[in-house]
Amino acid sequence: MRHKKTKQMLDYWMDLYNEIGNTPDNHHKHIWPDRSDVQPAQCRSLLGDMFILDSTSSSVSYRLAGTKLCSLYGRELKQERFADAFVSEDQQAAENWASQLARDDYLALICSKATTEDGHQLNLETLLMPLSHNGGVGARILGITIPCESPPWLGSKHIVSQAIRSVRVLHPWDKEVRPGQEVDVISKVSTFPSFNLGSEAPSILTSNDPFLSSNEIMGGYTPSRRVGHLTVIDGGKSET
């Protein structure tokens, strides 16, 4: 995570997660925070960048979006599909990562390269965290999208597309090791047919295999397999 607001958003969600009775002993039986647990007064400094997604319909779509986030895209995002902001070859990936969030017990950090209408580029990071709603486990998703830089044109130029650069699967309740597997985009292809979380990816996301820390991955661990146009980095916990 490159921006302090992304970390603050994660800390807020983890406070909710712990307050409802999750402990290190039961972290394999998650209770997700409820939509009603999210109190705007407790995260006031983040509200403009935050959003809530509806994950109960045929696609994942925005129910609420902060004013800064809507300004970033130059439009009201409510009821828009989450995946629509991404380039066509990444839309299915964005949809799948969000829709599988609660079912496979992970948080997701999506890093992307955004492009404005006149060609300016900007790095974004989007954090997705599951919520329950009216008895539906993972029926809502709490999220935040933050620009990693603050160029002088930010706010006056609107984003028209963004391409996924990496997706990191996070397990912040695991205190022994840092967040889990990392998926990096190595090259682009024109279509995205084989990246389907309903078939290939669950075996990756729900794996109980230990994994490398982020520093160890960056130190030269060799990717071992492909999913669509993504390379999956498997890992193993380092000896201490």
Side-chain angles (χ1 to χ4, degrees):
M1 295 182 187
R2 295 176 57 183
H3 201 284
K4 64 180 181 180
K5 282 190 174 183
T6 312
K7 180 60 166 60
Q8 289 169 356
M9 188 78 264
L10 176 59
D11 289 343
Y12 176 70
W13 185 91
M14 282 300 299
D15 286 343
L16 298 180
Y17 176 85
N18 291 321
E19 286 170 3
I20 57 178
N22 291 289
T23 68
D25 295 332
N26 75 345
H27 70 271
H28 293 299
K29 298 179 180 179
H30 303 285
I31 306 170
W32 301 130
D34 193 81
R35 165 66 182 88
S36 62
D37 295 330
V38 179
Q39 299 297 320
Q42 296 174 352
C43 48
R44 193 180 306 275
S45 64
L46 306 174
L47 288 178
D49 306 289
M50 287 170 53
F51 57 84
I52 291 179
L53 302 177
D54 178 357
S55 187
T56 58
S57 59
S58 57
S59 64
V60 181
S61 58
Y62 287 94
R63 287 189 66 86
L64 294 171
T67 54
K68 288 184 180 179
L69 183 59
C70 292
S71 177
L72 196 63
Y73 292 95
R75 62 185 183 274
E76 172 60 59
L77 295 174
K78 186 175 181 180
Q79 298 184 338
E80 182 174 311
R81 290 176 63 245
F82 172 69
D84 283 350
F86 294 87
V87 293
S88 57
E89 60 264 37
D90 286 352
Q91 287 184 5
Q92 189 62 60
E95 178 78 20
N96 288 340
W97 284 111
S99 63
Q100 287 290 119
L101 201 66
R103 282 176 273 176
D104 283 334
D105 295 347
Y106 65 90
L107 313 187
L109 181 68
I110 301 174
C111 296
S112 57
K113 175 75 75 174
T115 303
T116 67
E117 50 210 346
D118 58 354
H120 287 83
Q121 292 193 317
L122 181 69
N123 291 302
L124 301 176
E125 58 182 16
T126 299
L127 179 63
L128 303 176
M129 300 154 288
L131 298 172
S132 294
H133 181 64
N134 290 338
V137 177
R140 297 287 186 269
I141 294 170
L142 178 64
I144 190 168
T145 295
I146 297 289
C148 297
E149 306 93 28
S150 298
W153 50 262
L154 188 63
S156 61
K157 310 289 185 182
H158 299 143
I159 292 172
V160 294
S161 69
Q162 62 193 80
I164 295 176
R165 303 299 298 274
S166 69
V167 178
R168 179 166 295 172
V169 176
L170 307 178
H171 304 105
W173 43 81
D174 191 334
K175 294 185 178 181
E176 294 184 16
V177 286
R178 293 304 300 163
Q181 298 148 322
E182 184 171 297
V183 181
D184 285 321
V185 175
I186 302 302
S187 61
K188 288 289 183 182
V189 293
S190 59
T191 58
F192 214 128
S194 62
F195 187 63
N196 186 325
L197 288 179
S199 56
E200 296 183 65
S203 63
I204 300 167
L205 298 178
T206 62
S207 171
N208 291 322
D209 294 338
F211 44 81
L212 292 173
S213 69
S214 298
N215 287 337
E216 290 168 316
I217 291 173
M218 295 302 292
Y221 186 75
T222 303
S224 65
R225 58 183 160 173
R226 303 279 294 179
V227 178
H229 74 286
L230 304 179
T231 295
V232 177
I233 302 175
D234 297 321
K237 188 193 302 180
S238 61
E239 298 293 333
T240 56

